[in-house]
Amino acid sequence: MVKLVESRMAAIRLVWIIVVLMIPIVFLGFLLVRNIQSEMEVNQKELAGIQFLSLLAPVMLDAAEGKATSDNYKKLQIEGPVFAELAGVGGSFEPLTRAIKQPNLQPISILKMAYQLVQQTGEQSYIILDAVADTHYLGAASTQGMPDSVLKLRQLQYAADSAEKNPSAENLAFIAAADGALRESTRLMQSQVNAAKNAGRSNYDYLQILADFDVIVKTNTQRTAAILSGFRLPPAESMVLLKGLGTGGDSTMDGHRSLWKAINKRFALLKQQQTQVLSQRLGVVIVASLLSVIIGLGSAIAMFNSTLKRLDEISQAKRDAETAQHEAEDMSQKLSVINDDMVNVNKELAHQMHMLKDAQDALVSKGRMEQLGQLTATIAHELRNPLGAVRTSAFLIERKIKDKNLGFEPQLARINNGVSRCDDIITQLLDFSRTKPLAARPSDLDQWLMKMLEEEAKQLPAAVSIECDLNLAGRLVPFDPARLQRALINLLSNASEAMVGKGDDPAKFETRMPLIRISTEVLDGHAVIRIKDSGPGISEANLARVREPLFTTKSFGTGLGLPAVDQIANQHHGRLVIQSTPGEGAEFALHLPLQTPKENAA
């Protein structure tokens, strides 16, 4: 029976060891898998976008050629809705489908609607935000350069058709301007494709794409020469040249059709290759995680077998001790005094062993916290480096596109908010896992508190008011300024968020007149800092759990803010007292001893 109990205790310790070892492995594996899955989801959305463009591009080119109906229109109506929904432009696609069905709608109207939908597809499906160089440039060429070139070519044809009816010098100049805009658009698109070729990760043959460009550029050159000649010819001869520039005489649209199809095909191939690479990475991460778990379990089982072996040795030793005890009982009564002394010694030894076990458990717990702190610090360092790169990249992008009205400001704002939120989570993790001893020194708490509040009040939303009532009158209190500042920042942030959330929408404020009152006083040998808000307060059920790590009622919180404050108060040999009445706000009181424990002992 005793051995069975000891085996169960050993099994419980084994389970605890396995849990401690597996948590960081499983957590890191989950983060890696989720990151790869997110990249795969983005890739799938980009693929859906390029498949939708493959249906939309022929319709735009048909409309540019003046076709009111075509087989491409029908194909877009049948297959388009699914890809449009996957690419995130389902709502914008519906007006185009309704317009195509109208019998008297002019092709130029369809052309303009298709042009706008192409650009929306590039934004909503993340094609133009692709972080890989070659697919980024190909996406820009497909969703920006090419549709712009097609629209400019249609404008040139429209100008030529108008000038054919009235070949005046003014109309010829209008044609020349339209031709210049088309040439500039074509040059920009060609630079995008060349950039994709130079950044290519494989030996892909760009000869067909470049050949299509040569046809377009050659046609542009011939057209420009014809326009320049038209300025020097009589009106009758100029009209002959203009007939070659109108909707019936320009072959450049066929070159655009072939080139656009080739670009889309290359883009789709690259995204499929990226998806395959991500799938392979996902498999490697899963296999590595499983191997880590198997190795951990194997080590734990080996430890368990070793523990059982030691238990057998202890059981044998116990049986030997029982035999010796029976022999001792048979001894002469003269040894009774010695036996009594032995019993007393055994009792004292058991007491000492119990104390030793408590001390050993405390050391093991402290060691685990230090290991957790080191792991958290390592993870925080490794995460903050890429976060810094993200923040710097976002800043450079924001500066580069400033005043260009490209519509990327909301996305950049979301990036900056996400980076700030991740940085705040890392800070809370570091605060909670920090086990370094305090650097406490006696200081004027009121004076320090006033300076700290002057700085931190600037970080709170403008709607929140602060009142101070400091009554320590220069009393020196031993405290660690960095730790205490972290605790007070957590309490101020919690109070502000309880009343006004993030402070960006007054309609969502929980409190009509948000106010934070901060006061100090001396009570029972302690300096007390009270922070009271006018928010909605804390319910009884939540009040009993707010000190638990990872417990939070906020959708964006980590649940480590108040546990970190409680921990900092305990490190100062003080305590955190929380009082709240629902509907009347909450009060958090930090009690700090006026003397350090050494001074109290003296």
Side-chain angles (χ1 to χ4, degrees):
M1 183 64 182
V2 174
K3 184 176 180 181
L4 179 60
V5 173
E6 292 173 345
S7 300
R8 288 179 178 176
M9 292 299 296
I12 292 174
R13 295 191 185 96
L14 172 65
V15 171
W16 175 247
I17 291 172
I18 292 174
V19 170
V20 171
L21 291 175
M22 292 300 106
I23 284 177
I25 295 174
V26 173
F27 180 70
L28 290 176
F30 171 76
L31 290 180
L32 291 174
V33 169
R34 189 68 191 92
N35 183 50
I36 295 174
Q37 288 177 339
S38 298
E39 293 184 32
M40 293 179 68
E41 290 173 0
V42 172
N43 269 11
Q44 292 301 323
K45 192 164 187 179
E46 290 187 57
L47 275 173
I50 206 66
Q51 288 169 327
F52 181 62
L53 287 179
S54 297
L55 297 172
L56 187 60
V59 170
M60 183 175 177
L61 290 164
D62 288 348
E65 291 178 341
K67 298 178 182 179
T69 59
S70 69
D71 292 338
N72 292 324
Y73 285 23
K74 298 178 181 178
K75 186 176 182 181
L76 178 65
Q77 294 179 56
I78 296 173
E79 302 179 14
V82 175
F83 293 116
E85 192 67 29
L86 293 175
V89 292
S92 302
F93 177 56
E94 292 181 1
L96 178 60
T97 57
R98 290 196 299 267
I100 291 175
K101 295 177 181 179
Q102 295 180 11
N104 298 324
L105 190 66
Q106 294 297 320
I108 187 64
S109 300
I110 298 177
L111 173 64
K112 292 179 180 179
M113 295 177 68
Y115 173 78
Q116 294 176 354
L117 188 55
V118 168
Q119 295 200 326
Q120 289 180 9
T121 302
E123 295 176 1
Q124 296 299 323
S125 62
Y126 309 134
I127 289 178
I128 60 174
L129 298 177
D130 197 302
V132 181
D134 47 359
T135 48
H136 167 75
Y137 288 117
L138 286 175
S142 181
T143 60
Q144 294 179 340
M146 178 60 74
D148 187 66
S149 181
V150 171
L151 190 63
K152 294 289 192 304
L153 177 58
R154 181 63 187 91
Q155 292 172 350
L156 174 62
Q157 293 173 343
Y158 176 77
D161 290 338
S162 299
E164 184 178 353
K165 300 175 182 178
N166 182 18
S168 62
E170 181 180 356
N171 284 337
L172 287 174
F174 181 52
I175 292 176
D179 178 69
L182 174 60
R183 291 170 63 84
E184 178 61 23
S185 178
T186 304
R187 185 199 63 78
L188 176 60
M189 181 171 53
Q190 188 174 16
S191 68
Q192 291 170 336
V193 174
N194 281 328
K197 175 188 175 185
N198 296 333
R201 293 158 293 159
S202 61
N203 297 324
Y204 179 77
D205 188 2
Y206 278 83
L207 292 179
Q208 182 60 48
I209 294 178
L210 297 178
D212 291 335
F213 262 121
D214 290 340
V215 172
I216 294 175
V217 172
K218 182 178 180 181
T219 304
N220 288 345
T221 303
Q222 295 173 350
R223 182 193 305 108
T224 302
I227 292 171
L228 294 176
S229 299
F231 281 103
R232 298 188 297 270
L233 295 175
E237 296 181 16
S238 297
M239 184 176 296
V240 175
L241 290 175
L242 292 176
K243 290 182 179 179
L245 296 177
T247 55
D250 197 334
S251 63
T252 312
M253 199 68 73
D254 293 335
H256 281 72
R257 189 182 299 274
S258 176
L259 179 59
W260 204 346
K261 182 177 180 181
I263 290 174
N264 288 344
K265 180 179 179 181
R266 175 58 180 162
F267 185 93
L269 177 62
L270 288 175
K271 297 311 295 184
Q272 290 170 355
Q273 292 175 352
Q274 291 176 14
T275 302
Q276 292 175 356
V277 171
L278 289 173
S279 299
Q280 294 173 356
R281 283 174 53 193
L282 182 61
V284 170
V285 169
I286 293 175
V287 171
S289 300
L290 290 176
L291 287 176
S292 300
V293 172
I294 293 173
I295 293 173
L297 289 175
S299 301
I301 292 172
M303 293 172 59
F304 180 68
N305 291 332
S306 176
T307 302
L308 287 180
K309 183 177 179 181
R310 295 296 301 274
L311 284 174
D312 290 338
E313 296 175 356
I314 293 173
S315 298
Q316 182 62 41
K318 187 174 182 179
R319 287 193 295 268
D320 294 342
E322 290 175 351
T323 302
Q325 181 180 356
H326 290 306
E327 293 176 354
E329 290 176 353
D330 295 336
M331 292 179 67
S332 175
Q333 293 295 326
K334 294 180 181 181
L335 299 177
S336 61
V337 175
I338 297 176
N339 288 336
D340 293 337
D341 292 340
M342 289 292 294
V343 170
N344 293 332
V345 170
N346 287 335
K347 288 182 179 180
E348 181 65 19
L349 180 60
H351 177 68
Q352 295 296 331
M353 290 180 65
H354 182 71
M355 295 178 61
L356 179 61
K357 183 178 181 301
D358 291 342
Q360 183 181 11
D361 290 342
L363 287 175
V364 170
S365 177
K366 182 178 179 182
R368 287 173 180 165
M369 286 301 294
E370 289 178 353
Q371 291 175 359
L372 179 60
Q374 292 175 359
L375 176 62
T376 302
T378 301
I379 294 175
H381 175 73
E382 294 299 326
L383 289 179
R384 272 182 167 159
N385 284 341
L387 282 177
V390 172
R391 178 178 283 138
T392 301
S393 300
F395 171 77
L396 293 176
I397 294 174
E398 185 175 10
R399 188 174 65 178
K400 182 158 288 195
I401 68 173
K402 185 178 181 181
D403 299 328
K404 293 185 178 179
N405 295 324
L406 298 179
F408 297 157
E409 287 78 8
Q411 289 85 349
L412 290 173
R414 285 197 297 270
I415 292 174
N416 290 327
N417 291 337
V419 170
S420 299
R421 180 178 172 189
C422 291
D423 189 66
D424 186 61
I425 291 174
I426 291 172
T427 300
Q428 293 189 32
L429 286 171
L430 290 174
D431 288 341
F432 183 72
S433 62
R434 186 173 287 120
T435 58
K436 293 175 60 178
L438 292 177
R441 59 179 183 273
S443 302
D444 186 337
L445 181 58
D446 278 354
Q447 183 180 5
W448 175 86
L449 186 60
M450 182 58 70
K451 291 181 180 179
M452 192 277 292
L453 290 174
E454 289 177 356
E455 293 296 326
E456 295 303 326
K458 300 175 183 178
Q459 309 302 322
L460 298 178
V464 178
S465 300
I466 295 181
E467 291 182 1
C468 294
D469 183 17
L470 308 182
N471 300 304
L472 295 182
R475 191 72 176 264
L476 297 182
V477 180
F479 65 94
D480 185 324
R483 300 278 180 91
L484 187 58
Q485 182 177 5
R486 187 68 253 170
L488 293 176
I489 289 174
N490 285 352
L491 293 177
L492 290 173
S493 298
N494 284 349
S496 173
E497 290 170 0
M499 294 185 292
V500 300
K502 294 184 179 181
D504 52 357
D505 187 359
K508 297 181 180 179
F509 288 179
E510 291 285 343
T511 305
R512 180 171 300 179
M513 298 180 64
L515 173 65
I516 299 177
R517 291 189 179 89
I518 302 163
S519 63
T520 59
E521 63 177 343
V522 175
L523 181 65
D524 298 332
H526 287 74
V528 182
I529 305 174
R530 300 185 187 276
I531 298 179
K532 181 176 177 59
D533 62 66
S534 59
I538 307 173
S539 67
E540 262 188 53
N542 291 339
L543 191 61
R545 300 189 60 193
V546 290
R547 300 175 191 265
E548 296 177 8
L550 305 181
F551 173 78
T552 179
T553 59
K554 298 181 288 188
S555 60
F556 53 88
T558 62
L560 294 178
L562 279 180
V565 175
D566 195 31
Q567 180 174 289
I568 292 171
N570 292 333
Q571 290 171 348
H572 281 82
H573 301 282
R575 65 185 186 277
L576 173 65
V577 179
I578 306 174
Q579 296 179 338
S580 176
T581 301
E584 297 181 8
E587 179 182 278
F588 299 84
L590 273 173
H591 292 247
L592 305 177
L594 294 174
Q595 292 182 333
T596 61
K598 291 183 179 180
E599 292 172 339
N600 288 329

